[in-house]
Amino acid sequence: MRYYKLIFLSLIICACNSNKKSSSKLDDQTPANRAELTDKRTDLDWNCSTLNGIDICLPNQWIKVDQDNFEQFYFLEDTSQNDFFVLIKYDLHTLGLSPKEYCQEVYRQLLNDPNEPFKKYSFREVKRDGRSMFFGEFITEVNHIEYLTYTFYSSLGEKFYDISLKSRIDREAVLYNTFHNIIYNIKVSDNPLFEYDKAVDESIVINFDNW
């Protein structure tokens, strides 16, 4: 999959077809209640740090990559470059896309990637206090191995955040819990990027074919 910072670097997947609307907490509308969410600042198996105003906690064993393209980039292990975590931050004024257009472009790139067949997805828009946040899961295939990518997209203040975690699909249970704990623990200038225990105004399952 191409890593193209100016517009997208994310994936997602699970297969949903209808636009169902509801008003409830996120964990009532997604599998998020499967995750065991905890404060990782006291977890010895996680490392917490602050970079450019972003407080983030990640598993200790991940391998940080020194680079200038993204806020954070880690390989999950030293034997595979297809297993990674990435956090990208954009200035909304220079991005040139609305959050919805950004998500649509991610989907278009996935469909048109000849090197990594795109198999299925799920995508959800969560609305709260005038903000739209997007959770996605994408399944792709590399060398006959299926990969699952969890993604989260959200704007906060004047910035837009693209966060993705990708690994082999046989790690789904661990991957899911890890991803949601990362999002749960992220703060931007002391403000949570997403509050899991706060009720949402609307939760919508997105079908890209008619969105």
Side-chain angles (χ1 to χ4, degrees):
M1 178 164 297
R2 295 183 294 277
Y3 296 12
Y4 184 25
K5 192 214 172 192
L6 286 181
I7 308 189
F8 27 72
L9 181 270
S10 300
L11 321 151
I12 345 177
I13 301 201
C14 195
C16 297
N17 300 318
S18 60
N19 281 15
K20 299 179 181 177
K21 299 185 179 182
S22 59
S23 179
S24 183
K25 292 184 179 179
L26 178 66
D27 60 5
D28 293 330
Q29 296 301 320
T30 72
N33 57 353
R34 300 199 317 259
E36 298 176 5
L37 303 174
T38 59
D39 184 347
K40 294 303 181 183
R41 289 172 296 181
T42 59
D43 192 326
L44 296 180
D45 293 326
W46 287 59
N47 178 54
C48 299
S49 61
T50 301
L51 178 66
N52 296 331
I54 303 173
D55 297 326
I56 188 170
C57 297
L58 300 170
N60 278 333
Q61 70 270 26
W62 288 2
I63 303 163
K64 186 173 183 177
V65 178
D66 292 327
Q67 45 75 44
D68 299 320
N69 293 318
F70 315 117
E71 292 295 310
Q72 303 271 0
F73 190 92
Y74 286 77
F75 287 125
L76 308 193
E77 54 189 32
D78 58 8
T79 58
S80 172
Q81 294 191 353
N82 288 312
D83 302 70
F84 62 82
F85 168 82
V86 63
L87 186 157
I88 311 172
K89 180 176 71 174
Y90 302 96
D91 188 305
L92 279 172
H93 295 295
T94 59
L95 178 58
L97 296 171
S98 68
K100 178 178 178 178
E101 290 170 335
Y102 186 95
C103 296
Q104 290 171 328
E105 184 60 32
V106 169
Y107 179 71
R108 188 185 70 82
Q109 287 289 315
L110 285 166
L111 286 177
N112 294 315
D113 191 333
N115 300 313
E116 189 166 346
F118 179 35
K119 308 197 75 173
K120 54 184 178 178
Y121 74 96
S122 71
F123 203 78
R124 183 180 296 274
E125 179 180 8
V126 175
K127 297 182 179 182
R128 177 195 288 153
D129 299 332
R131 288 177 61 201
S132 284
M133 294 150 282
F134 303 89
F135 286 86
E137 304 173 22
F138 293 96
I139 295 174
T140 55
E141 185 176 303
V142 180
N143 297 326
H144 306 294
I145 298 175
E146 288 190 344
Y147 286 85
L148 172 62
T149 305
Y150 289 104
T151 63
F152 174 78
Y153 307 101
S154 176
S155 59
L156 186 62
E158 300 301 317
K159 303 299 181 182
F160 180 77
Y161 297 88
D162 173 342
I163 303 171
S164 297
L165 176 60
K166 175 184 176 184
S167 190
R168 297 191 309 272
I169 200 168
D170 60 3
R171 297 178 174 178
E172 179 178 4
V174 173
L175 196 67
Y176 183 91
N177 197 66
T178 299
F179 180 74
H180 283 282
N181 269 284
I182 292 170
I183 303 300
Y184 176 75
N185 281 274
I186 288 180
K187 290 186 177 181
V188 178
S189 300
D190 293 327
N191 297 307
L193 191 57
F194 184 81
E195 297 174 87
Y196 280 80
D197 58 352
K198 186 176 179 181
V200 302
D201 299 323
E202 191 173 26
S203 181
I204 309 168
V205 174
I206 299 298
N207 179 349
F208 279 105
D209 291 337
N210 56 28
W211 188 40

